[in-house]
Amino acid sequence: MNGPGMNSDAHPALASVGAWFYRWVAGIRLDDGTLASPNNNYGKGWKHVLFAPGFVTDPRLPSVQARVTSIHGPIAVSWAYAAGALTMTIDVPVDVSA
């Protein structure tokens, strides 16, 4: 629908781009079937989070920072790749494991 009756620009197709950034670029992941997990328990209600960034060796993207607000509190990651070494800082609420 277009014109004056259109009242939303927040469509799932647009939101999925943001999800791709925090899942694959920053690496904050839930158990959504995109990664195999031996116990398949990470991500349930943000109680356990997997940090697995992609693109860490691509020189066009030397560093990333991201933050997701969960029901337990903020979950944040920052990483930088330089001189063949990855440095990562992870912040999770007290009752969340990573």
Side-chain angles (χ1 to χ4, degrees):
M1 181 185 339
N2 290 324
M6 179 64 173
N7 61 4
S8 173
D9 289 327
H11 302 288
L14 300 174
S16 65
V17 173
W20 181 84
F21 278 109
Y22 76 76
R23 285 181 190 155
W24 296 102
V25 178
I28 303 172
R29 300 203 188 154
L30 294 175
D31 187 11
D32 60 1
T34 55
L35 273 185
S37 173
N39 60 10
N40 214 23
N41 285 330
Y42 72 87
K44 306 266 193 272
W46 290 99
K47 193 69 174 163
H48 185 71
V49 180
L50 172 69
F51 291 92
F55 312 107
V56 294
T57 59
D58 191 326
R60 296 172 297 176
L61 189 64
S63 65
V64 168
Q65 293 181 343
R67 178 180 162 159
V68 174
T69 302
S70 78
I71 192 168
H72 304 287
I75 297 169
V77 62
S78 64
W79 62 259
Y81 185 78
L86 176 66
T87 304
M88 182 181 272
T89 302
I90 297 169
D91 293 314
V92 295
V94 101
D95 58 344
V96 172
S97 61

